[in-house]
Amino acid sequence: MKQSSEKAFLQAARSLGIRVVSGEPLAKHTSFSIGGPAALYAIPGNVQNMVSCLKNAALCGIDTVILGNGSNVLFADSGFDGLVISTDEVRDCMIDRNRITAGCGFSLQRLCRQAADLSLSGLAFAFGIPARIGGATVMNAGAFGGSLDQVVSSVLCYDKGKDCTVEYRPCDLQYGYRDSIFLHDPSLAVLETTFTLTEGDKTSILNEMNGYMARRTASQPLDYPSAGSVFKRPKDNFAGKLIEESGLKGYRIGSAEVSAKHAGFIINTGNATASDVRDLIRHVRKTVFDKTGVLLECEIRQIGFPEEL
Ligand SMILES: Cc1cc2nc3c(=O)[nH]c(=O)nc-3n(C[C@H](O)[C@H](O)[C@H](O)COP(=O)(O)OP(=O)(O)OC[C@H]3O[C@@H](n4cnc5c(N)ncnc54)[C@H](O)[C@@H]3O)c2cc1C
């Protein structure tokens, strides 16, 4: 990043009271515990300051990445030579009967608990998905037959290209399996998401949530850093099943390992690097393709590399 750009951005951020640090290790902010430093790392305290960060970065010619819980990202070992915007502090939440509007940094876990407390049903499937609302909205997070698009009724976005905020309706969001407009249009940032839920019975909602959590604990390697399922589910099949059938359970490169508990997960067994993980992804994709003819598609976002695998 050019020194003049960095200086101009820091000056603007300081005048707005936005906290920015230089050289923040991204490994501290990802569920993989992997990633080099961010040239700049900003923690805006609200939606307005988040928009200011995006606007000023654009004015200063600085590349930006927005970070939620960091549960679906792999940052390069060299880090990111731009501005990473943490959504940690953008976590307002408003409730209007069966509608909940949450800031992009609000925890998905907390939202599920809050909905259950209000006897609102529709989000139980999401209990246990480590995410902030922004990241979950972008990824169309889902599990056990449910996905966010079933309950999202609108998304307030900032469009960097047009320098304006826009409210997107479900028909604008191009939702598909782990897919949304946000994955194709990098000028869009999720500021807030509104969920419309239905009235239900608190005890059955809590039972459903606890049941899903028990299934996760039994089947996923939750005691190791990971980014969840590395690959998308191929048509009429499961990535984990194909990887297991290709004899790759427990296969390791450096400290990155195909989990022996759930072959769809790559775990960091100690000091895995982003290169270890990418080499392992390449090996898994090639082996599975050679043995089954299925080319696995990555679900995790890879940032700071010349290209995503
Ligand atoms: C143990 C484990 C289990 C998991 N299980 C599941 C599961 O069952 N189902 C599932 O779908 N996923 C699962 N995941 C993956 C992950 O939790 C989801 O993809 C989640 O939605 C990511 O949310 P996040 O806040 O961590 O996003 P991040 O990883 O921080 O970001 C994901 C992407 O969204 C972008 N982004 C984040 N916030 C914004 C914003 N406000 N505006 C614009 N772009 C933004 C980022 O730049 C990045 O490209 C699992 C992960 C782990 C570690």
Side-chain angles (χ1 to χ4, degrees):
M1 185 193 305
K2 277 204 236 142
Q3 246 184 348
S4 54
S5 305
E6 181 170 345
K7 208 168 146 201
F9 180 82
L10 284 170
Q11 214 159 26
R14 209 168 294 138
S15 72
L16 293 162
I18 300 170
R19 201 147 49 101
V20 186
V21 285
S22 300
E24 178 71 359
L26 291 166
K28 272 170 56 180
H29 303 284
T30 63
S31 58
F32 247 140
S33 300
I34 291 174
L40 292 173
Y41 185 88
I43 310 126
N46 52 43
V47 161
Q48 289 74 24
N49 281 352
M50 183 169 157
V51 169
S52 299
C53 275
L54 289 159
K55 219 180 253 202
N56 282 301
L59 286 173
C60 299
I62 297 175
D63 288 342
T64 51
V65 163
I66 303 176
L67 192 60
N69 200 57
S71 312
N72 204 44
V73 289
L74 178 67
F75 279 107
D77 298 314
S78 55
F80 180 68
D81 188 29
L83 169 72
V84 173
I85 301 174
S86 160
T87 57
D88 274 9
E89 306 282 321
V90 186
R91 47 176 190 223
D92 283 348
C93 183
M94 281 173 317
I95 299 159
D96 176 14
R97 282 171 299 180
N98 66 329
R99 283 154 56 91
I100 306 183
T101 299
C104 57
F106 196 79
S107 144
L108 181 60
Q109 196 83 339
R110 219 174 130 198
L111 182 76
C112 295
R113 283 215 185 87
Q114 202 147 321
D117 276 347
L118 295 162
S119 303
L120 291 175
S121 110
L123 272 170
F125 72 85
F127 191 56
I129 301 179
R132 302 301 173 95
I133 295 307
T137 302
V138 166
M139 295 307 305
N140 191 15
F144 307 113
S147 48
L148 239 62
D149 57 334
Q150 297 165 352
V151 277
V152 168
S153 48
S154 67
V155 181
L156 183 68
C157 306
Y158 173 67
D159 186 330
K160 224 174 10 178
K162 298 189 181 130
D163 184 22
C164 61
T165 47
V166 203
E167 182 150 284
Y168 276 58
R169 298 274 144 202
C171 59
D172 307 315
L173 295 169
Q174 297 175 18
Y175 267 139
Y177 166 66
R178 304 294 174 268
D179 199 9
S180 73
I181 189 169
F182 306 105
L183 293 172
H184 306 282
D185 188 346
S187 61
L188 294 176
V190 174
L191 302 176
E192 288 175 356
T193 303
T194 298
F195 300 87
T196 299
L197 305 169
T198 48
E199 277 183 33
D201 172 64
K202 186 170 171 176
T203 310
S204 19
I205 297 167
L206 285 171
N207 284 341
E208 203 184 341
M209 281 163 54
N210 292 335
Y212 289 144
M213 187 57 99
R215 284 169 68 180
R216 280 179 186 278
T217 314
S219 64
Q220 299 181 356
L222 300 181
D223 37 358
Y224 285 97
S226 80
S229 296
V230 171
F231 303 101
K232 288 189 179 185
R233 199 176 56 225
K235 198 171 178 289
D236 302 326
N237 219 320
F238 293 96
K241 181 170 163 280
L242 293 171
I243 296 167
E244 186 173 350
E245 285 169 4
S246 303
L248 289 166
K249 252 191 173 180
Y251 190 89
R252 188 187 261 245
I253 293 183
S255 295
E257 185 178 297
V258 174
S259 165
K261 191 166 178 182
H262 186 317
F265 281 51
I266 288 180
I267 54 171
N268 176 358
T269 62
N271 299 309
T273 61
S275 302
D276 291 340
V277 174
R278 296 245 301 177
D279 288 346
L280 189 52
I281 290 174
R282 282 192 195 94
H283 181 78
V284 168
R285 290 184 82 199
K286 182 173 186 319
T287 310
V288 169
F289 184 71
D290 289 348
K291 298 215 168 171
T292 69
V294 177
L295 186 59
L296 295 174
E297 192 188 334
C298 277
E299 179 177 324
I300 59 170
R301 310 303 314 279
Q302 301 146 57
I303 303 169
F305 301 94
E307 87 282 299
E308 293 204 51
L309 297 174

